[in-house]
Amino acid sequence: MKERDIAPGTTFLAGAGLNLFAVLDCAALPESTTAPMLASGVPLADYRRLVLLGHGGRRLWAALQKWGVKTTDPVDHYSLTLTRQFIRDYLGDPPVCWLYPQTDYLAPLQQLGALAGWSHSSPLGLGIHPEYGVWFAYRAAFLTTAELPLRVEPERPSPCATCTNKPCITTCPVEAVQIDRFDVDGCARYRLRPQSPCADRCLARLACPFFPEHRYTLAQMQYHYRHSLGTLRAWYGETETEQPGDYSPRDKDNQPV
Ligand code: SF4
Ligand code: SF4
């Protein structure tokens, strides 16, 4: 299959908001990436390509609102439905093995994102994309027997390299964000506090000055953060956390138009 053969399919995906698309060679993945996958039972040797899909910015959320929220996990449902359609209608329905989301396999997404040229590490513990900043995410990953043309983004510098003030570090109220370390536990416990201003958003992430035009809308941000808060609650066994409302005038300033 040639690049021009999959161009209509990637255009279809991009129009649906799945505007990050990478194809990696299974046989060329580094051992540090394959080890956790193989340990979780991924049948890597049976497939030729690993396809990674993501969204950058706000388009996916806007497309999802038009498509309709049909399940309790609408972003995954939407992403899987559109990706299945892409595989069927644009790739000729080859055999695939789903890696993410909603599988028991372990896909090291941040490592795969770095190999795809999407992601540098940042003090926030999130990847940062050279074009979308901290406003991107992984939406689906699968293996396929189809010999798709390889595709990664060109190597570009991290925005963090030119960010002199690093407001993500100074904004976090509990100093969870450090230049060389992200305190996952400290962040989680602060988010779980009653009336926490971080229950449905990350103030430090919002303080990142790069690519504000791609910053999630408040509704999109609240969806993702409330979802992760539920996971944290289950993990930490917390039950007393309240759902947040609006907390401060900052919210209005941070809410993109
Ligand atoms: S505020 Fe600066 S250092 Fe922090 S994530 Fe954004 S670009 Fe990187
Ligand atoms: S969610 Fe809050 S506590 Fe966690 S890193 Fe962001 S600002 Fe800090």
Side-chain angles (χ1 to χ4, degrees), residues 104-181:
D104 291 332
Y105 291 136
L106 201 155
L109 295 174
Q110 289 211 4
Q111 289 184 42
L112 294 170
L115 292 170
W118 297 358
S119 176
H120 292 278
S121 58
S122 81
L124 284 164
L126 304 165
I128 186 163
H129 187 278
E131 189 183 333
Y132 293 102
V134 291
W135 308 108
F136 84 99
Y138 306 96
R139 296 273 61 105
F142 63 90
L143 301 172
T144 177
T145 55
E147 206 155 342
L148 304 179
L150 301 178
R151 184 192 286 198
V152 298
E153 293 185 5
E155 213 174 299
R156 288 168 288 179
S158 168
C160 298
T162 54
C163 180
T164 45
N165 293 333
K166 303 209 177 333
C168 59
I169 294 176
T170 50
T171 301
C172 177
V174 287
E175 299 180 354
V177 185
Q178 300 292 330
I179 189 73
D180 54 355
R181 187 180 67 92

Side-chain angles (χ1 to χ4, degrees), residues 234-249:
W235 179 262
Y236 283 84
E238 297 276 351
T239 54
E240 75 272 29
T241 308
E242 296 172 14
Q243 283 296 321
D246 287 338
Y247 290 98
S248 74

Side-chain angles (χ1 to χ4, degrees), residues 172-174 176-177 182 187 190-191 198 201-204:
C172 177
V174 287
V177 185
F182 180 75
C187 167
Y190 186 70
R191 292 192 63 208
C198 292
R201 69 202 69 186
C202 171
L203 304 178

Side-chain angles (χ1 to χ4, degrees), residues 69-108:
V69 172
K70 300 168 185 177
T71 64
T72 51
D73 55 354
V75 175
D76 282 352
H77 178 64
Y78 175 78
S79 302
L80 283 169
T81 303
L82 273 287
T83 305
R84 284 194 187 106
Q85 199 175 332
F86 163 73
I87 293 167
R88 189 191 63 222
D89 297 347
Y90 295 94
L91 298 186
D93 218 5
V96 301
C97 171
W98 289 94
L99 299 179
Y100 179 80
Q102 298 177 358
T103 79
D104 291 332
Y105 291 136
L106 201 155

